[in-house]
Amino acid sequence: KQEVTQIPAALSVPEGENLVLNCSFTDSAIYNLQWFRQDPGKGLTSLLLIQSSQREQTSGRLNASLDKSSGRSTLYIAASQPGDSATYLCAVIGYGQNFVFGPGTRLSVLP
Amino acid sequence: DAMVIQNPRYQVTQFGKPVTLSCSQTLNHNVMYWYQQKSSQAPKLLFHYYDKDFNNEADTPDNFQSRRPNTSFCFLDIRSPGLGDAAMYLCATSRGGAPDTQYFGPGTRLTVL
């Protein structure tokens, strides 16, 4: 059974810092990996999707990498801003449309 | 423009009183999902439909049922809500092809009194 963990559980940084969020999964037989953002009391917003054949994806200040063999993905946020404060979740997509989420990292960017 | 719509946004029900949550999509996606998310926890997949094919997760309680009458709509029925069913319920869709991104609705917050 696929298990997804995220470290750290919470992170507080001053504005302008670069930061890295980590996601680990136990079964490397994945189809895709997706990073989401969730604001308090809201649904999830997709940030980046990495296909299993890819090593990384970039969107603006965000860069996500994937190492299937080691069961790891990282989300890099450059020049963090207070508006980046949210919970970041990774989801591993297995075959058969099976999405398994990690518990998330709660990020606070202080002005 | 809203692509995945959930109604209502907030639902209050009494212990044991059946409740139905609604999800609709304008994306014409093949796959629709229902997740349960409790405070500070990961969303937990309850079931999903690939077109009309229903896929139930093994640990989804029998108290939860779902209907998908057409491509656009999917319903979550909770037959006898318990206090432990209070949560945010998230609906999502995906095309079903590769690569596959999920699109989420805003969620319905369920309170059980």
Side-chain angles (χ1 to χ4, degrees):
Chain A
K1 181 181 176 182
Q2 179 73 271
E3 293 184 2
V4 182
T5 55
Q6 290 187 246
I7 294 172
L11 182 63
S12 184
V13 299
E15 182 176 4
E17 277 205 4
N18 303 324
L19 54 99
V20 175
L21 308 181
N22 297 291
C23 172
S24 298
F25 47 95
T26 55
D27 186 349
S28 61
I30 67 168
Y31 198 44
N32 295 321
L33 185 143
Q34 193 166 1
W35 282 92
F36 293 87
R37 167 186 174 138
Q38 186 174 31
D39 292 291
K42 301 287 181 63
L44 280 68
T45 301
S46 177
L47 298 173
L48 290 164
L49 173 75
I50 310 176
Q51 299 179 54
S52 60
S53 58
Q54 296 176 322
R55 299 283 294 185
E56 64 180 290
Q57 281 286 339
T58 298
S59 176
R61 294 182 293 108
L62 305 179
N63 176 276
S65 67
L66 174 63
D67 184 344
K68 268 184 60 176
S69 60
S70 66
R72 292 179 184 175
S73 176
T74 61
L75 179 66
Y76 175 83
I77 303 177
S80 58
Q81 302 171 358
D84 295 331
S85 298
T87 296
Y88 291 81
L89 299 103
C90 67
V92 171
I93 302 133
Y95 296 89
Q97 306 300 324
N98 182 26
F99 280 68
V100 179
F101 280 84
T105 293
R106 191 170 62 254
L107 174 65
S108 295
V109 181
L110 306 174
Chain B
D1 292 336
M3 296 183 290
V4 183
I5 302 161
Q6 291 189 244
N7 285 305
R9 294 292 311 278
Y10 301 91
Q11 176 75 57
V12 180
T13 190
Q14 293 180 330
F15 183 95
K17 185 175 181 180
V19 66
T20 295
L21 309 182
S22 169
C23 178
S24 63
Q25 53 133 340
T26 60
L27 298 163
N28 202 33
H29 280 174
N30 294 316
V31 193
M32 295 187 77
Y33 309 79
W34 278 106
Y35 290 88
Q36 179 192 65
Q37 187 180 27
K38 297 188 176 179
S39 181
S40 300
Q41 295 184 21
K44 178 181 179 299
L45 182 64
L46 296 174
F47 22 60
H48 73 273
Y49 276 93
Y50 198 126
D51 291 330
K52 294 183 178 179
D53 292 334
F54 177 70
N55 298 272
N56 195 35
E57 293 300 297
D59 54 356
T60 298
D62 292 340
N63 198 25
F64 292 86
Q65 304 286 323
S66 184
R67 296 170 283 136
R68 189 178 185 185
N70 53 53
T71 300
S72 300
F73 284 87
C74 195
F75 300 99
L76 171 61
D77 300 309
I78 308 176
R79 293 192 294 185
S80 182
L83 298 178
D85 297 327
M88 175 76 86
Y89 289 87
L90 298 167
C91 174
T93 73
S94 68
R95 287 186 298 117
D100 214 4
T101 298
Q102 281 198 333
Y103 297 85
F104 280 79
T108 294
R109 169 76 64 188
L110 177 67
T111 300
V112 181
L113 301 177

